[in-house]
Amino acid sequence: MKSNVWIKAGIVIIYGSSIDASPHRHHAIQLACPRNGYSCKLDNNEISTPVIIDSNVEHQLQIDEGWILLVEPTSELGGELSKKLAGQPSKVFKVPLPTIKHTEYIDDLTVLLSPLFENLALSNKFPLINESQIADHRIKKLLHELNQCLDGKCLKPSNWRASDVAQKLALSESRFLHLFSKELGIPWRPYLLWCRMICAVRAILNGESATDAAHMAGFSDSAHLSRTFRKTFGMTIRQANAIFQKS
């Protein structure tokens, strides 16, 4: 396989096998889809079709082989997935399981994920374009700056203290924290932790050690990164790296 992980603004896409995560929760809405002919278990219940799991819902997931999409809830795709959940913590979709090819000859997300998106009546643009639905221009600009990490242009974590960000946005710290929580449905600090986690994953994918990735992403040390990673994704960095590096 040419690639196993794609990280873009508002979405992380993973194709892997032997995924076995312990109970965990995270900020993202999750869309999981086993490959045709393979099995998947959600909280020990076997399913064979795509499933959506809402943001911050604890879950345990096992996939023999297939796709996992972690989607920012306030993005366009996050909004569409939330509509399909209709207030439920998770929902299994009894649609025909698509035959999704993933070979060394293809690394085009539109091609790879078209069958899944079509079967769920979702726009095929989302693997590549997943705009934020945040209305406040100040918060939207802030999110754009945070996303610079995805292009390898990480800003030092010291730049992200709430007081400094608030000052840059010409807001009081309390006003900024209230506005951010209102717009994204999550407080600033846990959201920033989520962003740092994705930054660390990006660094590890680029060949950095867990220690260096922790430093680059603003964690106190590799142990702090490891604890947060396991709590967030239900597996160790070593387990995740084995999935990321499979070919």
Side-chain angles (χ1 to χ4, degrees):
M1 290 182 286
K2 191 173 181 181
S3 180
N4 282 38
V5 184
W6 297 260
I7 301 178
K8 299 179 178 295
I11 188 169
V12 177
I13 301 171
I14 302 165
Y15 185 91
S17 59
S18 302
I19 299 172
D20 187 1
S22 60
H24 63 287
R25 69 177 71 220
H26 44 63
H27 170 63
I29 296 176
Q30 183 164 317
L31 169 58
C33 179
R35 184 175 177 177
N36 197 12
Y38 290 79
S39 64
C40 173
K41 285 186 178 181
L42 175 62
D43 299 330
N44 294 318
N45 297 312
E46 189 161 345
I47 57 177
S48 58
T49 53
V51 58
I52 300 175
I53 306 164
D54 205 0
S55 171
N56 290 314
V57 171
E58 184 174 82
H59 59 281
Q60 181 176 7
L61 187 68
Q62 298 169 292
I63 296 182
D64 289 340
E65 185 169 334
W67 294 87
I68 292 177
L69 282 67
L70 302 175
V71 183
E72 166 59 46
T74 58
S75 68
E76 289 181 321
L77 177 55
E80 291 301 313
L81 295 179
S82 182
K83 288 178 185 177
K84 290 184 178 298
L85 282 168
Q88 300 177 64
S90 64
K91 185 175 180 179
V92 177
F93 289 82
K94 302 296 184 180
V95 297
L97 196 64
T99 301
I100 303 175
K101 297 179 180 179
H102 188 69
T103 74
E104 61 183 341
Y105 305 109
I106 302 174
D107 198 16
D108 185 330
L109 289 173
T110 302
V111 174
L112 289 170
L113 290 170
S114 281
L116 172 60
F117 278 63
E118 288 173 5
N119 282 1
L120 290 174
L122 292 167
S123 170
N124 194 41
K125 74 170 186 174
F126 285 129
L128 298 177
I129 303 173
N130 186 29
E131 298 289 344
S132 171
Q133 296 187 105
I134 297 300
D136 189 277
H137 70 279
R138 295 161 296 188
I139 300 301
K140 197 166 187 175
K141 181 180 178 182
L142 173 61
L143 296 180
H144 177 73
E145 290 184 15
L146 283 168
N147 285 334
Q148 296 306 303
C149 179
L150 305 183
D151 297 322
K153 303 172 184 175
C154 288
L155 302 179
K156 290 295 183 182
S158 58
N159 291 341
W160 299 118
R161 286 192 296 265
S163 57
D164 294 338
V165 175
Q167 184 176 25
K168 185 176 180 181
L169 298 179
L171 296 169
S172 67
E173 184 175 348
S174 61
R175 174 59 182 154
F176 161 64
L177 293 174
H178 173 77
L179 180 62
F180 190 90
S181 294
K182 178 183 176 182
E183 290 285 321
L184 275 89
I186 179 176
W188 168 245
R189 290 187 66 183
Y191 183 83
L192 184 59
L193 185 63
W194 169 255
C195 291
R196 287 176 174 171
M197 182 63 61
I198 300 304
C199 180
V201 169
R202 165 66 76 188
I204 291 170
L205 289 173
N206 288 340
E208 301 289 347
S209 67
T211 299
D212 289 341
H215 174 72
M216 292 170 64
F219 291 90
S220 56
D221 52 33
S222 59
H224 182 203
L225 170 60
S226 296
R227 290 192 304 272
T228 307
F229 193 96
R230 187 178 185 94
K231 181 179 179 181
T232 304
F233 297 114
M235 63 183 72
T236 66
I237 292 177
R238 179 174 293 183
Q239 288 173 315
N241 204 34
I243 294 169
F244 295 162
Q245 301 303 324
K246 283 184 178 178
S247 59

